[in-house]
Amino acid sequence: SRVPRDLDIVCRHAMDKEPHRRYPTAQAFAEDVRRHLQGEPILARPPGMMSVGWKWARRHRAVSTGAIMTILGAVALAVVLAQTAVQRRVERQQELAKWLQDGDRSLAEYRDTLRQLTQDRIEERRIRDAMDPNAGPKVKTPLWDLQHKIELSERRSVDLRSAAIVSLQGALKVDPGNIEARTKLVAFHFEELR
């Protein structure tokens, strides 16, 4: 037959290896046995999980040391991996911001260049229309200077257009789902179609 659980707890409490965990007096032990016999709740409690775990660890030092080292190593690895992931996310956000900033700057410069180019072409047409076709080189020099300026602006606009597209595509390489880069790229293409 089995020993009742409460009686087992009372006996283990009385025989605990560590004196400070035993009953302080024989009378306290007898009182707990009387409580058990009368069906009342006993005062002794089973050892807690910490106590049982500590005793087991003391009996199996090599295994417990290995388990603790494994747990500490896993925690350290998790911390390092989390820090690395956070650092990568921060670097990615910085790279994305740089691509978007470069794209914004190139788009703004491209638009400014196109505006100036439009004004210069209007001015070129006005000067050409007002100029005598048989005028000498001295009279034609301002027209030639303006035509040279227009040519340089056209080259610059091509470079700025390419830089804007490359920057926005770079942002999409960093974050393919980035709505801001997609929106700016689509808006830019629609703007060019007009």
Side-chain angles (χ1 to χ4, degrees), residues 57-185:
R58 284 181 32 206
R59 283 193 314 270
H60 303 92
R61 288 183 191 263
V63 174
S64 61
T65 301
I68 288 171
M69 296 305 286
T70 301
I71 290 169
L72 290 175
V75 167
L77 180 63
V79 167
V80 167
L81 290 175
Q83 285 178 333
T84 302
V86 166
Q87 182 62 32
R88 279 191 195 140
R89 192 176 314 118
V90 166
E91 288 169 0
R92 203 172 119 202
Q93 290 299 323
Q94 289 172 341
E95 184 180 3
L96 177 64
K98 183 188 178 308
W99 281 115
L100 289 172
Q101 185 179 19
D102 289 350
D104 287 344
R105 190 187 71 250
S106 294
L107 282 173
E109 288 181 37
Y110 174 73
R111 289 178 182 129
D112 289 344
T113 302
L114 286 183
R115 273 195 281 305
Q116 185 61 47
L117 197 52
T118 301
Q119 291 172 359
D120 289 345
R121 284 182 181 145
I122 291 169
E123 180 65 15
E124 177 198 18
R125 189 171 298 124
R126 189 191 63 73
I127 292 173
R128 202 173 9 159
D129 289 346
M131 186 176 289
D132 178 16
N134 298 324
K138 267 190 171 179
V139 174
K140 289 185 177 181
T141 301
L143 178 63
W144 293 340
D145 289 344
L146 186 57
Q147 287 172 335
H148 181 70
K149 180 182 175 189
I150 289 171
E151 184 181 327
L152 293 176
S153 292
E154 286 172 343
R155 287 184 195 161
R156 177 153 173 73
S157 72
V158 170
D159 292 344
L160 288 169
R161 178 185 181 279
S162 296
I165 291 171
V166 166
S167 293
L168 294 174
Q169 287 175 339
L172 288 174
K173 283 181 184 174
V174 172
D175 181 6
N178 187 276
I179 301 298
E180 183 180 356
R182 284 180 184 271
T183 304
K184 287 179 180 180
L185 199 53

